[in-house]
Amino acid sequence: MTAPKKLFIKTYGCQMNVYDSERMAEALGGQGYVQTDHAEDADMILLNTCHIREKAAEKVYSELGRMKVLKDAKPDLKIGVAGCVAQAEGAEIMRRQPMVDLVVGPQSYHRLPAMDAAVQGGAKALDTDFPEDDKFKTLKTRSKAKRGPTAFLTVQEGCDKFCAFCVVPYTRGAEVSRPADRILREARELVDAGVRELTLLGQNVNAYHGHERGLAGLIWALTEIDGLERIRFTTSHPNDMDQALIDAHGTCEKLMPYLHLPVQSGSDRILKAMNRKHTAESYLRLIDRIRAARPDILLSGDFIVGFPGETDQDFEDTLQLVRDVHYGQAYSFKYSTRPGTPAAEKPQLPDDVMNERLQRLQALLRDQQQQTQASMIGREVKVLFEKAGREAGQMIGKSEYLHAVYADAPATVLGQVRRVRIVQDSANSLKGELIG
Ligand code: SAH
Ligand code: SF4
Ligand code: F3S
C-alpha cells in the first residue's frame, strides 16, 4: 500500500470558507488525501482565500511567495488557490505566480477530484464556473469521523444585495438556498458525529428560502433533531429579519440569544450611497422589536468607516447609532476599494481621516463590549464545553451569548451543556464555576 498523500489547507476570510475547507478536504479524501497541519509535509497545499478587503487579497500573494520555497525543494508538490480570490482573479493568479497548479472558485470545488487528477498528470487546472449542477449534490454525505461539539453548516450562499462597496455578489454569485431536507440530513450526520451546536451559514442567511417558512421554518425543523442542543445563524441582513425569525428568538429554546446584524453606518446619506436600502431609524426600530422578543439578546454588528463621501457629521451619526444600540460585540473596518464595485469609482477619503475615525469607533465598541462582559459577573449561564484549557483541570466553552468561558471541570463535561456561574471577567474571556 502506498502512503496516503497529505493535504494542507490554509483558510482565510469568513466562516463559510471554514466550512468550504472541510468539504474540500472531504472531497479530496476520496482521492487518498489525509490532512496535515504542516505545510512542509504536504503533497498538496490549498489556500482558501478571501477577497473582501485589499489586505485580505494581498495576503494570498505573500503566502504564495513563501510556498514557492517549498515547491522549489519538492517539485511534485501541488499548489492550489481556492475561494474568493480564485473567483475574482482566476487565471491572473497563475500569471502572477506561475508555480500555482490549480485555481478553483467557491462554486466549483466539488470538481476538485478531477482537477487533482489533471494536475497529477502535470497539467494546470482552472475552474471558476458558476455551474448549474449544485456542488452539494456531488459532495453528498459528511465524513463520519468523530467531531467536536460545534460545526458550521452552509444553508444559503451568494448575495443579490449589491452593497456598493462589496465583492461578495461577484465572488459567490447570486443568492441560492439549499433545500431544507438536505440540510436536515446533513445536520443529522453532524449530530451523529458528535455535534451539539450548529451555526447555519449564509452570506445573507436570513434571506434563506429553501423552507416554505424561511429561515425560521428551517430552525424549527432543526429543533426536532435529538442531540442537537443549540442553533445559531450568521450573517443576517436587516431587511430580511422577518417577524417569524424575530419571534423564534423569543420562543425557540434551542436558538441562542446572539444576533450578528451588520448596519455598516449610522448615516442615512451614507447608507443610501452604500445601497443598503434601509435607514438608521428603521434599523433602530428593528432592534427594538428584536429586544422586545428576547430582551437579553447579545447584538453584534459590522461597520465601515471612511466610505467615499463620509463627512464628520456622517461619522458622528455612526457613533450615535452605536450608543443607541449598545453592542455586545462588533467588527469595524476601514473602507477598502474593491475592483469592479460601484464605490470604487468614487474619490477616496485620506487615510489619516479613516484611521482616526476607526480608532474612535473601535474605542467606543470596545467599551461596550467590556461593559457587556462585566455585566455577566454573578450571572448563571449555560456553557457548551468544547476543549481543555491551557491550565490543567480547566475546560473551555461558549455561553449562550457566545462569550468564551473557562472553568475548573472534569473532562467529562466536554460536549455537554452545563450551568456555570460567572465569577470573573478577563480580557477576552470569562471565568466561571461549574454549578450543575
Ligand atoms: N453578508 C454580510 C457580510 C459580508 S462581508 C453582510 O451583509 O453583512 C463582512 C463585512 O466586511 C461587511 O459586513 C462589511 O462590514 C465588511 N466589508 C465588506 N466590504 C468591505 C470593503 N470594501 N471595505 C471594508 N469593509 C468591507
Ligand atoms: Fe456584501 Fe451587502 Fe451582500 Fe453583505 S449584503 S454580502 S455586505 S453585498
Ligand atoms: Fe471573504 Fe469570500 Fe467570505 S470575500 S468574507 S471569503 S465570502
Side-chain angles (χ1 to χ4, degrees), residues 12-17 48-53 56 83-85 106 167-168 171-172 203:
Y12 303 82
C14 62
Q15 289 115 323
M16 199 174 286
N17 265 10
N48 193 11
T49 61
C50 174
H51 201 245
I52 201 81
R53 286 169 288 274
C84 290
V85 176
V167 291
V168 171
T171 63
R172 292 274 168 169
Q203 266 89 34

mmCIF file of all heavy atoms in Angstrom, residues 12-17 48-53 56 83-85 106 167-168 171-172 203, ligand 3:
data_model
loop_
_atom_site.group_PDB
_atom_site.id
_atom_site.type_symbol
_atom_site.label_atom_id
_atom_site.label_comp_id
_atom_site.label_asym_id
_atom_site.label_seq_id
_atom_site.Cartn_x
_atom_site.Cartn_y
_atom_site.Cartn_z
ATOM 1 N N TYR A 12 -8.619 31.488 4.930
ATOM 2 C CA TYR A 12 -8.746 32.922 5.232
ATOM 3 C C TYR A 12 -10.228 33.287 5.191
ATOM 4 O O TYR A 12 -11.040 32.539 4.672
ATOM 5 C CB TYR A 12 -8.031 33.754 4.166
ATOM 6 C CG TYR A 12 -6.576 33.437 3.984
ATOM 7 C CD1 TYR A 12 -6.171 32.372 3.200
ATOM 8 C CD2 TYR A 12 -5.607 34.202 4.599
ATOM 9 C CE1 TYR A 12 -4.835 32.080 3.026
ATOM 10 C CE2 TYR A 12 -4.260 33.922 4.431
ATOM 11 C CZ TYR A 12 -3.889 32.861 3.644
ATOM 12 O OH TYR A 12 -2.564 32.573 3.468
ATOM 13 N N GLY A 13 -10.566 34.497 5.690
ATOM 14 C CA GLY A 13 -11.908 35.042 5.460
ATOM 15 C C GLY A 13 -12.957 34.562 6.436
ATOM 16 O O GLY A 13 -12.678 34.323 7.604
ATOM 17 N N CYS A 14 -14.165 34.375 5.925
ATOM 18 C CA CYS A 14 -15.332 34.191 6.792
ATOM 19 C C CYS A 14 -15.562 32.716 7.140
ATOM 20 O O CYS A 14 -14.878 31.825 6.646
ATOM 21 C CB CYS A 14 -16.557 34.777 6.125
ATOM 22 S SG CYS A 14 -16.962 33.978 4.557
ATOM 23 N N GLN A 15 -16.579 32.493 7.978
ATOM 24 C CA GLN A 15 -16.888 31.125 8.418
ATOM 25 C C GLN A 15 -17.255 30.218 7.256
ATOM 26 O O GLN A 15 -17.034 29.019 7.312
ATOM 27 C CB GLN A 15 -18.052 31.130 9.415
ATOM 28 C CG GLN A 15 -17.687 31.711 10.754
ATOM 29 C CD GLN A 15 -18.461 32.987 11.021
ATOM 30 O OE1 GLN A 15 -18.709 33.777 10.109
ATOM 31 N NE2 GLN A 15 -18.844 33.202 12.254
ATOM 32 N N MET A 16 -17.815 30.817 6.193
ATOM 33 C CA MET A 16 -18.189 29.952 5.076
ATOM 34 C C MET A 16 -16.948 29.311 4.448
ATOM 35 O O MET A 16 -16.996 28.189 3.967
ATOM 36 C CB MET A 16 -18.983 30.714 4.036
ATOM 37 C CG MET A 16 -19.745 29.733 3.161
ATOM 38 S SD MET A 16 -20.825 30.515 2.033
ATOM 39 C CE MET A 16 -22.135 31.045 3.094
ATOM 40 N N ASN A 17 -15.847 30.042 4.477
ATOM 41 C CA ASN A 17 -14.606 29.444 3.986
ATOM 42 C C ASN A 17 -14.146 28.297 4.890
ATOM 43 O O ASN A 17 -13.575 27.317 4.407
ATOM 44 C CB ASN A 17 -13.506 30.503 3.870
ATOM 45 C CG ASN A 17 -13.418 31.083 2.469
ATOM 46 O OD1 ASN A 17 -14.287 30.828 1.633
ATOM 47 N ND2 ASN A 17 -12.379 31.855 2.211
ATOM 48 N N ASN A 48 -7.385 28.695 0.818
ATOM 49 C CA ASN A 48 -8.799 29.038 0.625
ATOM 50 C C ASN A 48 -8.964 30.509 1.003
ATOM 51 O O ASN A 48 -8.957 30.864 2.172
ATOM 52 C CB ASN A 48 -9.681 28.119 1.466
ATOM 53 C CG ASN A 48 -11.134 28.219 1.065
ATOM 54 O OD1 ASN A 48 -11.456 28.811 0.032
ATOM 55 N ND2 ASN A 48 -12.012 27.663 1.874
ATOM 56 N N THR A 49 -9.123 31.349 -0.008
ATOM 57 C CA THR A 49 -8.830 32.778 0.139
ATOM 58 C C THR A 49 -10.056 33.682 0.274
ATOM 59 O O THR A 49 -11.180 33.281 -0.028
ATOM 60 C CB THR A 49 -8.057 33.238 -1.106
ATOM 61 O OG1 THR A 49 -8.917 33.021 -2.243
ATOM 62 C CG2 THR A 49 -6.767 32.454 -1.271
ATOM 63 N N CYS A 50 -9.782 34.925 0.678
ATOM 64 C CA CYS A 50 -10.816 35.946 0.880
ATOM 65 C C CYS A 50 -10.466 37.207 0.100
ATOM 66 O O CYS A 50 -9.315 37.630 0.082
ATOM 67 C CB CYS A 50 -10.893 36.267 2.371
ATOM 68 S SG CYS A 50 -12.002 37.628 2.753
ATOM 69 N N HIS A 51 -11.471 37.818 -0.520
ATOM 70 C CA HIS A 51 -11.243 38.983 -1.389
ATOM 71 C C HIS A 51 -11.895 40.248 -0.826
ATOM 72 O O HIS A 51 -11.941 41.279 -1.491
ATOM 73 C CB HIS A 51 -11.827 38.648 -2.774
ATOM 74 C CG HIS A 51 -11.292 39.464 -3.894
ATOM 75 N ND1 HIS A 51 -12.073 40.331 -4.621
ATOM 76 C CD2 HIS A 51 -10.052 39.552 -4.414
ATOM 77 C CE1 HIS A 51 -11.339 40.913 -5.551
ATOM 78 N NE2 HIS A 51 -10.111 40.474 -5.440
ATOM 79 N N ILE A 52 -12.386 40.177 0.421
ATOM 80 C CA ILE A 52 -13.287 41.227 0.910
ATOM 81 C C ILE A 52 -12.608 42.598 1.018
ATOM 82 O O ILE A 52 -13.223 43.608 0.731
ATOM 83 C CB ILE A 52 -13.950 40.813 2.253
ATOM 84 C CG1 ILE A 52 -15.227 41.613 2.495
ATOM 85 C CG2 ILE A 52 -13.028 40.924 3.452
ATOM 86 C CD1 ILE A 52 -16.413 41.118 1.776
ATOM 87 N N ARG A 53 -11.362 42.623 1.461
ATOM 88 C CA ARG A 53 -10.603 43.879 1.528
ATOM 89 C C ARG A 53 -9.252 43.664 0.866
ATOM 90 O O ARG A 53 -8.785 42.529 0.733
ATOM 91 C CB ARG A 53 -10.427 44.317 2.994
ATOM 92 C CG ARG A 53 -11.701 44.882 3.608
ATOM 93 C CD ARG A 53 -11.615 45.062 5.107
ATOM 94 N NE ARG A 53 -11.641 43.778 5.774
ATOM 95 C CZ ARG A 53 -12.749 43.120 6.118
ATOM 96 N NH1 ARG A 53 -13.930 43.647 5.874
ATOM 97 N NH2 ARG A 53 -12.683 41.949 6.689
ATOM 98 N N ALA A 56 -6.698 41.481 2.632
ATOM 99 C CA ALA A 56 -7.004 40.045 2.629
ATOM 100 C C ALA A 56 -6.502 39.420 1.334
ATOM 101 O O ALA A 56 -5.881 38.348 1.331
ATOM 102 C CB ALA A 56 -8.507 39.835 2.787
ATOM 103 N N GLY A 83 -11.416 29.610 -3.201
ATOM 104 C CA GLY A 83 -12.093 30.709 -2.514
ATOM 105 C C GLY A 83 -12.294 31.946 -3.368
ATOM 106 O O GLY A 83 -12.241 31.906 -4.603
ATOM 107 N N CYS A 84 -12.493 33.076 -2.692
ATOM 108 C CA CYS A 84 -12.980 34.284 -3.363
ATOM 109 C C CYS A 84 -11.922 34.999 -4.200
ATOM 110 O O CYS A 84 -12.255 35.642 -5.186
ATOM 111 C CB CYS A 84 -13.628 35.208 -2.341
ATOM 112 S SG CYS A 84 -15.192 34.540 -1.719
ATOM 113 N N VAL A 85 -10.633 34.890 -3.839
ATOM 114 C CA VAL A 85 -9.600 35.477 -4.703
ATOM 115 C C VAL A 85 -9.510 34.649 -5.990
ATOM 116 O O VAL A 85 -9.362 35.190 -7.096
ATOM 117 C CB VAL A 85 -8.221 35.557 -4.005
ATOM 118 C CG1 VAL A 85 -7.162 36.089 -4.964
ATOM 119 C CG2 VAL A 85 -8.299 36.452 -2.768
ATOM 120 N N PRO A 106 -15.383 29.173 -5.413
ATOM 121 C CA PRO A 106 -16.220 28.646 -4.323
ATOM 122 C C PRO A 106 -17.417 27.818 -4.799
ATOM 123 O O PRO A 106 -17.983 27.065 -4.017
ATOM 124 C CB PRO A 106 -16.722 29.895 -3.596
ATOM 125 C CG PRO A 106 -15.985 31.049 -4.151
ATOM 126 C CD PRO A 106 -15.342 30.649 -5.430
ATOM 127 N N VAL A 167 -17.607 42.907 -2.686
ATOM 128 C CA VAL A 167 -17.284 41.971 -3.778
ATOM 129 C C VAL A 167 -18.085 40.670 -3.730
ATOM 130 O O VAL A 167 -18.079 39.902 -4.699
ATOM 131 C CB VAL A 167 -15.785 41.561 -3.777
ATOM 132 C CG1 VAL A 167 -14.897 42.733 -4.158
ATOM 133 C CG2 VAL A 167 -15.371 40.958 -2.430
ATOM 134 N N VAL A 168 -18.751 40.415 -2.595
ATOM 135 C CA VAL A 168 -19.356 39.086 -2.408
ATOM 136 C C VAL A 168 -20.344 38.689 -3.521
ATOM 137 O O VAL A 168 -20.294 37.555 -3.998
ATOM 138 C CB VAL A 168 -19.998 38.967 -1.004
ATOM 139 C CG1 VAL A 168 -20.821 37.702 -0.867
ATOM 140 C CG2 VAL A 168 -18.904 38.991 0.064
ATOM 141 N N THR A 171 -18.081 37.340 -6.188
ATOM 142 C CA THR A 171 -17.243 36.163 -5.929
ATOM 143 C C THR A 171 -18.074 34.932 -5.583
ATOM 144 O O THR A 171 -17.650 33.812 -5.827
ATOM 145 C CB THR A 171 -16.237 36.391 -4.783
ATOM 146 O OG1 THR A 171 -16.944 36.621 -3.566
ATOM 147 C CG2 THR A 171 -15.314 37.562 -5.078
ATOM 148 N N ARG A 172 -19.235 35.146 -4.974
ATOM 149 C CA ARG A 172 -20.053 33.998 -4.562
ATOM 150 C C ARG A 172 -21.268 33.795 -5.447
ATOM 151 O O ARG A 172 -21.974 32.803 -5.309
ATOM 152 C CB ARG A 172 -20.523 34.177 -3.116
ATOM 153 C CG ARG A 172 -19.405 34.110 -2.104
ATOM 154 C CD ARG A 172 -19.129 32.663 -1.700
ATOM 155 N NE ARG A 172 -17.894 32.576 -0.948
ATOM 156 C CZ ARG A 172 -17.492 31.489 -0.286
ATOM 157 N NH1 ARG A 172 -18.214 30.386 -0.295
ATOM 158 N NH2 ARG A 172 -16.362 31.485 0.356
ATOM 159 N N GLN A 203 -24.287 34.080 3.267
ATOM 160 C CA GLN A 203 -23.875 35.480 3.143
ATOM 161 C C GLN A 203 -25.037 36.379 3.547
ATOM 162 O O GLN A 203 -24.845 37.479 4.040
ATOM 163 C CB GLN A 203 -23.458 35.801 1.705
ATOM 164 C CG GLN A 203 -21.972 35.653 1.474
ATOM 165 C CD GLN A 203 -21.610 34.244 1.066
ATOM 166 O OE1 GLN A 203 -22.389 33.590 0.379
ATOM 167 N NE2 GLN A 203 -20.464 33.782 1.467
HETATM 168 FE FE1 F3S B 3 -14.107 36.759 2.121
HETATM 169 FE FE2 F3S B 3 -15.432 35.469 0.286
HETATM 170 FE FE3 F3S B 3 -16.105 35.237 2.835
HETATM 171 S S1 F3S B 3 -14.617 37.504 0.093
HETATM 172 S S2 F3S B 3 -15.576 37.220 3.648
HETATM 173 S S3 F3S B 3 -14.217 34.579 1.929
HETATM 174 S S4 F3S B 3 -17.483 35.300 1.093
#
